[in-house]
Amino acid sequence: MDTDNFKGEKSLLNQDMPYIRAEKARYLYLCVTSTMPHGISIWWEVNKNKYVTKETYLHTTPAVYRFDLAILRAAGPSGKWGYYWDGKISGFGVKSSEDCQIKWLKFSNSRINFDDRFPLICMIDYPEVIHFEVTRNCNLNCYMCRKNREREVRKIGVPNLDYGIFEKTIPFARHINNVAFFGWGEPLVHPQFHKFIDAIDRIKDRNDPSLANRQKPYVNFTSNATLLTEDMIRRLIKQGLNEIVVSIDSQDPSNYNFIRENADFKEVISNLQNLKRIKQ
């Protein structure tokens, strides 16, 4: 094993492997020792773009870090993002705090066990998507979910997500690529849903230097659009909501009103037309 003392950044590519594919190397193992608390992160380059994971800051030493390479994301030919590398990695390595001695153990497709002298620390990136089920209540009694929703509400016993809990997740949500308000209920019936909406610009905040090279989260929610007032529409646009998903079960008003009990087809279409007008 090669041992290297370094500060800052070091490449882990060698001449025998000028590029890496995730299917050929699922895990990266690094053995790290330090005389003081240390931080370490992984960086990689694709198409001249450089990406850096969040820093893992731990006091344990020595320790073996296992990093799941499958979570590294890079834009493919379609421009979309996926969980696996698509194409060549032009650069790959680690960043660390000072006074770290790093032994590059190996790339592997299997999980390796270590004894107590070298505790195994798993470094992971943030997930791709996070869903907040803000409520299980709904103002409609739709044919396809009325019994299921009632059963789920009774099972959980908590109809509304407490905004205070959501508030605590905002620093975490900033790292997510997609934040969605979605679940059994209708988000707009939550008595404090306006607070969730007003937090969107904070979720998209990129003042943190570690997030400078990350795309802003794509924020959306699912609604039946019956409660989509002009005031709410303007609030959503102002705060930077990316998408509202609305289900229209039929273009025939009578069929729609039968499926969506307590809804009115013409009212929903009018609300969506207002959304389009105000957005333009």
Side-chain angles (χ1 to χ4, degrees), residues 114-160:
F114 295 88
D115 57 36
D116 294 336
R117 293 175 300 166
F118 299 94
L120 185 61
I121 310 299
C122 296
M123 295 177 60
I124 62 172
D125 199 1
Y126 289 91
E128 194 81 13
V129 181
I130 182 171
H131 280 179
F132 292 100
E133 187 173 40
V134 297
T135 185
R136 297 201 167 202
N137 289 326
C138 187
N139 61 322
L140 303 184
N141 195 29
C142 297
Y143 182 81
M144 58 279 190
C145 73
R146 63 184 67 153
K147 293 182 180 180
N148 289 329
R149 188 176 65 252
E150 291 172 359
R151 182 174 62 249
E152 289 297 317
V153 170
R154 289 196 300 270
K155 180 180 178 181
I156 301 299
V158 180
N160 293 323

Side-chain angles (χ1 to χ4, degrees), residues 20-27 69-72 83-85 87 89 108-109:
I20 307 167
R21 291 186 178 276
E23 67 267 25
K24 292 185 177 179
R26 176 65 187 271
Y27 300 106
L69 301 175
I71 64 176
L72 298 186
Y83 284 104
Y84 290 84
W85 289 330
I89 304 297
S108 173
N109 274 320

